[in-house]
Amino acid sequence: MYVCLCKGITDTQIQSAVHDGAHSLGKLRKSLGVATQCGKCSSLTREILDETLQEV
Ligand code: FES
């Protein structure tokens, strides 16, 4: 599922970036470019980040 339409980033990409060590929204922004344009995806990105962190 697409989370960030501006950058075309999916939930799966966010999850694997978190598994690779991007443990904050800032790090996800840097590594994927997610939430760097309109910002509408920030809250969903944060949710996915939190959920994924509970698994790691
Ligand atoms: Fe992610 Fe616009 S949808 S920055």
Side-chain angles (χ1 to χ4, degrees):
M1 160 189 95
Y2 279 107
V3 174
C4 180
L5 292 179
C6 295
K7 294 287 184 169
I9 292 164
T10 63
D11 53 349
T12 318
Q13 279 174 284
I14 294 171
Q15 284 160 355
S16 58
V18 175
H19 283 290
D20 288 343
H23 289 176
S24 70
L25 191 58
K27 284 184 183 165
L28 286 171
R29 275 204 185 102
K30 265 196 198 131
S31 62
L32 293 176
V34 69
T36 54
Q37 284 194 21
C38 74
K40 276 185 197 154
C41 56
S42 341
S43 60
L44 184 52
T45 302
R46 193 179 291 276
E47 269 175 45
I48 296 169
L49 168 66
D50 289 345
E51 275 169 25
T52 312
L53 281 178
Q54 285 171 20
E55 297 163 12
V56 292

